[in-house]
Amino acid sequence: LGIHVRVHTLDSLRYRNFRLMWASTIFLSGAFWVQELVIGWLTYHLTQDPLLTTLALGLVTLPYLLAAPVGGLLADLLDRRKFLVANLAYQAAITAGFATVVALDLTETWHIFAFIVAVGLSWAISDPTRFAIVANTVPRQNLVNAFALNGLAFSSTHLVVPAVAGLLMVLLGPSPTLLLASVLYLGAAVATIVMDLPRVDRQET
């Protein structure tokens, strides 16, 4: 007897909005890993201090302690898609601004930490909105699959992007590499802005 087995691993990718959200997550994840590599290199290059370098790499998570609840509130009050696009545009802008500071050779240690806190705040505020949008892109029965694929999109770039960013660091330096992160943030914004989320979805979550 023939046995028909349907593989459900990629089911959520059948939905256009989820595919766009998945692409946005890949771009966003790529920007994060590029940013982490450059921050680590810059901090150690300036300070020659392993402790400060470790603090710089870990500081991005600190704003979650205070800002994440605010992000959850905003996810319920605001248009999620527009809010996320605005946040991604902000991340692209401050990353490009920091890249300019680095290009002009004006970088001081406090610049690095200020940049990390600014980016960390935006991540902490926008993450609840991003997770809520994932839930808005597929039917309820596909939620587990959608979140699993979204998590895979974020983690999979860790295998490739740091190597590419490291090569760019060697060939072009930290400032152009940071500009790549800025472009990736913009790519995430574009993928998000072309989504078409029905208003009713916001009310159901």
Side-chain angles (χ1 to χ4, degrees):
L1 295 175
I3 300 177
H4 176 70
V5 178
R6 183 183 174 191
V7 178
H8 297 271
T9 306
L10 304 178
D11 270 6
S12 294
L13 291 173
R14 293 182 297 158
Y15 302 96
R16 175 182 179 272
N17 280 331
F18 180 77
R19 290 196 301 271
L20 289 169
M21 191 64 204
W22 197 70
S24 177
T25 300
I26 289 177
F27 284 126
L28 183 67
S29 173
F32 174 80
W33 294 121
V34 171
Q35 171 188 298
E36 285 288 279
L37 185 141
V38 176
I39 288 299
W41 184 90
L42 274 176
T43 307
Y44 190 77
H45 178 73
L46 284 175
T47 67
Q48 300 296 307
D49 189 329
L51 177 60
L52 283 178
T53 303
T54 302
L55 287 174
L57 291 173
L59 189 60
V60 71
T61 61
L62 183 62
Y64 279 83
L65 298 177
L66 298 175
V70 176
L73 178 63
L74 292 175
D76 288 333
L77 295 177
L78 302 177
D79 182 304
R80 292 169 180 170
R81 183 176 60 88
K82 291 180 181 178
F83 175 64
L84 186 56
V85 169
N87 196 272
L88 290 165
Y90 161 80
Q91 291 172 326
I94 62 171
T95 303
F98 184 56
T100 302
V101 172
V102 174
L104 295 174
D105 201 23
L106 300 174
T107 315
E108 298 182 16
T109 305
W110 74 267
H111 291 141
I112 297 174
F113 282 89
F115 171 69
I116 295 166
V117 171
V119 171
L121 280 171
S122 67
W123 277 79
I125 290 174
S126 65
D127 269 0
T129 301
R130 187 174 302 109
F131 295 143
I133 288 179
V134 171
N136 291 163
T137 59
V138 296
R140 188 178 299 274
Q141 64 268 22
N142 290 99
L143 284 178
V144 173
N145 178 254
F147 280 111
L149 285 175
N150 195 63
L152 177 64
F154 192 91
S155 59
S156 62
T157 57
H158 194 191
L159 301 174
V160 178
V161 173
V164 174
L167 181 61
L168 287 177
M169 284 277 293
V170 172
L171 296 177
L172 303 176
S175 180
T177 308
L178 274 173
L179 287 177
L180 170 62
S182 183
V183 170
L184 290 170
Y185 279 127
L186 287 177
V190 170
T192 304
I193 204 170
V194 298
M195 295 172 69
D196 182 22
L197 298 178
R199 288 183 179 275
V200 68
D201 284 348
R202 287 192 70 249
Q203 304 300 323
E204 291 177 352
T205 58

